[in-house]
Amino acid sequence: MTNSTGIEKLVTHIPGFDLIAEGGLPKGRTTLVSGTAGSAKTVLACQFLAAGLVHADEPGVFVTFEEPPEDIRRNMHSLGWALKDWEAQEKWAFVDASPDPAEELIEAGSYDFGALLARVEHAVRKVGAKRVVMDSIGAIFTKFTDRAMVRRELFRTATVLKQLEVTALLTAERTEEYGEIARFGVEEFVADNVVILRNALEGEKRRRTIEILKFRGTPHQKGEWPFTIVPGEGMVVLPLSAIELSQRSSNIRITSGNHELDRMCGGGFYRDSVILVSGATGTGKTLLVTEFLAGGTANGERCLLLAFEESREQIFRNATGWGVDFERMENEGKLKVICVYPEVASLEEHLIDMKKIIEEFQPNRVAIDSLSALERVATLKSFREFIIGVTSFIKHQEIAGLFTSTAPTLLGGTSVTDAHISTITDSIILLRYVEMYGDIRRGLTVLKMRGSMHDKEIREFTIDGQGMHIGTPFRGVTGILGGNPTQMAAGELERLGELFKDS
């Protein structure tokens, strides 16, 4: 692939990376991958070679300065890469420059990489390598004290790799997530391109990101992008920059599963819309989810429920209590219910799993109950990226999505979730407790219905064994949404009525 700058790029086939790299790594050049311990440098390096073999049949050479080849083979087996098989097929070659723990290193006189480069060149020619990895060059600096010599030899190494016409990755360690690019301060000057991996600790939670700091003479996406390591797949980058507002729009309405709510929404939700249901605990959010799914299956649609707060048995029992038979719907193949605790995976992993499930099951409706539970396991930034990622994916699938969010206070108030998602959802339904004369009642209003007229009143609703029953509007009460309902005197109501009366 050649871009407008004339520099050809090599497609890495690492999920998401080629999007932020705008086509892949510059072909025939050397790229430095720098990161702290545990930032997945070796995984990226191995995947660069493995993906080249699997997707493009491009052989590779792995030069290791730290771990013995046997350790790398064993570690990468869990990601599904059978390095031994590729070695037997002469498509993968190791150049082992790792230290022998039994030998004592004695540095005497000057040193050059001539012998090492000869081994690398031999391996490249033997397997016909198009890709080379050197992991990690920081290990060389710990062996030799003459940094000027090491820098000179690294330059020589980069030059030889270029002459061999291979695309190379050099990994290096850094001591801080945000500081010097590499530990010894010279590594970045050896390479044409620099990629930084981070594994930052934010609020007791780790957040992995990748950043392309420098691509000499060719464009790339700027900033940090989240990534995760998926068993059996390797690194998966989540490029929010790839999101485009290009989805189609439908005028077809679908039922919410509640006849009166359909009427309040102007005839139901749009088929490809995303709806947020927000309310305090116990106000009826899960009931709305149940009716949303039941309404879909009644029309022959396939529905998916991703639950993060209640177990499967609880959900099925509650649905039965509202007159909905989830078990029958599942047996008919119209419903799929998946329940997991948010803490079992990172938010990035949850997002990847959700995409896979939606692609496999091909539902017409998706419900997530609740976003607030997922909010627990991520930093604020990760959660915002997750919301954007999952919302855009559902909209591009042109299916209906219904998310629930729990308000932190019983009366009124909004959650952080609401603040992040309110602008990108098409519809917002608020559920509120209303305290009146010592009684707690429930109120519902359609706050937002993008592209459609809707009822703007706050309606009282009740819940029984047949589900939700939406009744008449609250009259003579103000401050419900703000969490401070106040009964207005009859005289005040008459006075306000006179103010807006037609003359």
Side-chain angles (χ1 to χ4, degrees), residues 308-327:
F308 297 97
E309 285 188 327
E310 295 178 287
S311 70
R312 181 184 175 83
E313 283 70 23
Q314 283 178 300
I315 291 169
F316 278 53
R317 182 199 61 196
N318 295 343
T320 304
W322 294 318
V324 177
D325 190 350
F326 269 2
E327 193 165 350

Side-chain angles (χ1 to χ4, degrees), residues 75-89:
N75 294 338
M76 295 304 137
H77 186 72
S78 64
L79 295 172
W81 303 325
L83 306 190
K84 273 190 173 177
D85 293 346
W86 289 331
E87 288 178 78
Q89 297 167 16

Side-chain angles (χ1 to χ4, degrees), residues 461-497:
F461 70 92
T462 57
I463 299 173
D464 63 16
Q466 299 302 311
M468 178 180 287
H469 304 279
I470 301 174
T472 57
F474 284 97
R475 298 296 185 195
V477 183
T478 64
I480 293 175
L481 295 184
N484 186 27
T486 305
Q487 190 78 21
M488 295 177 69
E492 183 65 9
L493 280 173
E494 290 175 6
R495 189 183 71 81
L496 287 173

